[in-house]
Amino acid sequence: MNQNILKLLETPLVPDAQAKVLSYFEEVKGSDTGWQLAITELTRTADNLSDHTKFFWWQIVENFVKTRYTQMDSASLLMRNFLFQWLHNMVVDREIPHSKEEADRNTLIKDTIRETCINDLVNSWYQICVLYEMSDSKLVSECLDVIGAYISWIDISLIANERFVTLFIRFMKDQHLREPDCDCLCEVVAKGMDSSAKVKLIESLYSLLHGAGVFVIDNEEDSDYLCKLGKLINTMGVQLAVSWTRLKKANDIKDAAVALDAIENKLPVIYAFLGNEDDDVSASVLEYIKEYIIILKQKALLSSVDRQHLESLISINFEKMKYDESYNFDNDGDEEAQFLEFRKQLKKLYDNIASLDKDLILSRTQQLVTSTLTNWQTLKFQDVELAITCLYELGEAVPSSQGNHFASDMVRFIILTHSYQKKVLP
């Protein structure tokens, strides 16, 4: 690379400089490795390049794509990755910080795309998904990533329509595509829009996924996929809760009631995720439950259905709080630390349920303690430890002015706990 020639790009109005740059351009353009030099410079030093220099290198890239790209199989992946990275980092991804000038430039690019070629882009995504679904799942997966990156700033009707949704539902049955498919659908669900329209979109999508058996996870062993699927339904719940709040503030009673029904109707599926043996899968839906409880706290009176939901949550909470038999108390590592962190989140759930219905939490904790007292000598350590922990947490979650909640059981349990500790604990 001739750095002296490139410096002349900073003085484009000097005739002699223009001639030398043009000559060098033709030299690089004709070289077999010129395109590699161009993408290296655009990737490695893009932030430090002037607009003239960037334009120079982009012309090299454009010429290669037009004239020789299809003739060089080895260039395909490298060039595709470069273009994807550039579009994702300077233009599309809102999570990457940009200066005001960069943001204004990106907005101009996106506005121009919307006005001139977005329909062509969307059609190309659809064609890629259809043509390569059976032969190149990696390419389709990358295409789904691109679709997800664009959704936040294009018209949602371009994607939330019959032809794309049919693909999304079908991809959920493909083990190679279902994870990126979940990520893409999360972007669809999280798309900013009118609250009533958001509820309708989520309900339509959920109905199709549920009808296809996507949320039947009893025999599914792929925890990575379940975490992605859990994130999807969790995003649905969170977006429904946001819509419910906005509709309620707008005094739109009818649509707010529809949103609340949508949240409650998905709870049986949420229980399946929360109760999964993998804690990461369980954790993927905790935000959904948190939003549901926040809604319940705004009710003047809990219904019998509300209490049934809380009963189910308590039962699952108790089971998930138990230590695994594989937990290493002598040499705790990352897995043990992750479980303890997860247990803290479960404690918050226990406390929130207690703040909603003190009598219910007292009753269920008493049942747990009483059943443990009856059989503690034959039970596993995990079961007894759970009862001790829940009894302790009860004192924090539901303070009693008398210093007890179920006195006779408390005395018996304290005595037996002391005996148990002397027997099995160091």
Side-chain angles (χ1 to χ4, degrees):
M1 179 171 59
N2 193 324
Q3 294 288 355
N4 292 327
I5 294 292
L6 292 178
K7 287 180 181 179
L8 295 177
L9 288 168
E10 306 301 324
T11 55
L13 299 180
V14 178
D16 185 55
Q18 288 183 333
K20 290 182 179 180
V21 169
L22 183 60
S23 175
Y24 182 61
F25 171 75
E26 293 298 329
E27 178 185 339
V28 176
K29 186 174 67 172
S31 167
D32 289 339
T33 59
W35 65 276
Q36 294 176 322
L37 181 61
I39 65 175
T40 298
E41 288 299 301
L42 287 169
T43 301
R44 181 172 59 86
T45 61
D47 292 339
N48 301 319
L49 299 180
S50 68
D51 289 340
H52 290 114
T53 305
K54 288 180 182 178
F55 182 69
F56 174 87
W57 289 124
W58 274 112
Q59 284 184 299
I60 302 297
V61 172
E62 180 185 26
N63 177 75
F64 173 75
V65 171
K66 285 182 175 180
T67 61
R68 286 186 290 172
Y69 174 75
T70 57
Q71 303 169 18
M72 299 179 65
D73 293 338
S74 61
S76 176
L77 181 60
L78 183 59
M79 182 61 74
R80 195 166 64 223
N81 287 342
F82 161 71
L83 292 174
F84 174 75
Q85 180 183 352
W86 181 80
L87 283 171
H88 189 268
N89 292 342
M90 306 185 69
V91 176
V92 175
D93 197 333
R94 292 181 174 180
E95 295 184 2
I96 295 177
H98 296 293
S99 66
K100 183 181 184 304
E101 291 76 12
E102 289 173 332
D104 290 343
R105 181 209 59 185
N106 292 348
T107 299
L108 178 61
I109 292 173
K110 288 185 282 190
D111 286 343
T112 304
I113 290 174
R114 291 187 190 101
E115 294 171 3
T116 60
C117 61
I118 190 61
N119 287 324
D120 290 337
L121 278 173
V122 172
N123 288 332
S124 71
W125 299 335
Y126 180 77
Q127 293 300 324
I128 289 171
C129 288
V130 171
L131 291 175
Y132 296 97
E133 177 182 357
M134 304 303 296
S135 60
D136 194 340
S137 58
K138 188 176 186 300
L139 177 60
V140 177
S141 176
E142 292 174 346
C143 186
L144 289 171
D145 291 341
V146 172
I147 295 172
Y150 274 77
I151 283 173
S152 65
W153 56 272
I154 65 175
D155 185 348
I156 191 61
S157 66
L158 293 170
I159 303 299
N161 53 51
E162 184 176 358
R163 68 170 184 168
F164 270 101
V165 171
T166 299
L167 283 179
F168 294 149
I169 301 301
R170 190 162 74 235
F171 289 168
M172 280 296 187
K173 300 295 185 179
D174 189 319
Q175 291 195 358
H176 299 291
L177 296 175
R178 58 187 187 178
E179 289 186 31
D181 196 27
C182 283
D183 289 335
C184 187
L185 287 174
C186 277
E187 296 297 331
V188 172
V189 171
K191 167 75 173 178
M193 64 180 73
D194 172 78
S195 296
S196 296
K198 171 65 70 71
V199 174
K200 291 178 181 177
L201 172 65
I202 292 175
E203 284 301 87
S204 175
L205 181 59
Y206 177 81
S207 177
L208 291 170
L209 292 170
H210 191 272
V214 170
F215 294 116
V216 179
I217 62 172
D218 295 342
N219 298 320
E220 180 58 59
E221 297 181 354
D222 186 343
S223 59
D224 290 337
Y225 164 63
L226 287 179
C227 286
K228 294 282 189 179
L229 190 59
K231 178 186 175 184
L232 173 58
I233 194 170
N234 185 76
T235 303
M236 288 181 174
V238 171
Q239 291 296 318
L240 286 171
V242 170
S243 297
W244 176 84
T245 301
R246 291 174 177 171
L247 291 166
K248 188 168 178 286
K249 287 182 178 179
N251 203 31
D252 189 339
I253 306 302
K254 180 180 178 181
D255 284 350
V258 172
L260 181 57
D261 286 342
I263 294 171
E264 293 176 337
N265 290 340
K266 295 169 186 55
L267 286 171
V269 174
I270 290 296
Y271 300 154
F273 283 89
L274 183 64
N276 189 272
E277 63 179 13
D278 190 297
D279 292 341
D280 289 335
V281 176
S282 300
S284 70
V285 296
L286 284 177
E287 193 173 2
Y288 190 125
I289 298 167
K290 175 185 173 183
E291 294 295 336
Y292 171 65
I293 290 178
I294 289 174
I295 290 174
L296 290 185
K297 287 183 177 180
Q298 299 180 55
K299 286 190 172 184
L301 184 66
L302 295 180
S303 67
S304 59
V305 174
D306 296 332
R307 288 175 63 88
Q308 289 174 9
H309 286 310
L310 293 177
E311 286 256 13
S312 298
L313 289 174
I314 293 171
S315 297
I316 299 172
N317 186 280
F318 282 166
E319 192 62 31
K320 292 298 298 184
M321 283 183 67
K322 292 180 181 178
Y323 283 96
D324 291 336
E325 292 189 5
S326 61
Y327 190 97
N328 191 334
F329 289 92
D330 297 323
N331 186 21
D332 54 337
D334 290 341
E335 291 187 4
E336 286 74 16
Q338 289 172 8
F339 173 74
L340 292 179
E341 186 60 34
F342 176 57
R343 221 185 193 209
K344 290 179 182 178
Q345 298 180 65
L346 294 176
K347 181 185 183 302
K348 290 180 182 179
L349 175 58
Y350 181 93
D351 292 343
N352 281 321
I353 295 175
S355 68
L356 271 172
D357 196 327
K358 180 182 72 174
D359 293 336
L360 179 60
I361 206 75
L362 282 170
S363 173
R364 290 303 308 273
T365 304
Q366 182 174 20
Q367 292 174 16
L368 175 65
V369 170
T370 301
S371 63
T372 303
L373 287 174
T374 305
N375 304 298
W376 74 273
Q377 291 176 312
T378 61
L379 293 175
K380 294 181 179 179
F381 161 80
Q382 288 85 349
D383 297 314
V384 179
E385 190 280 336
L386 173 66
I388 296 172
T389 297
C390 290
L391 187 61
Y392 176 82
E393 289 185 357
L394 182 67
E396 294 187 335
V398 188
S400 172
S401 57
Q402 290 79 30
N404 61 72
H405 297 297
F406 30 95
S408 60
D409 285 334
M410 282 276 285
V411 173
R412 292 179 60 212
F413 191 71
I414 290 171
I415 294 172
L416 290 173
T417 297
H418 180 67
S419 173
Y420 180 79
Q421 290 174 329
K422 289 172 62 178
K423 180 179 179 182
V424 301
L425 298 180

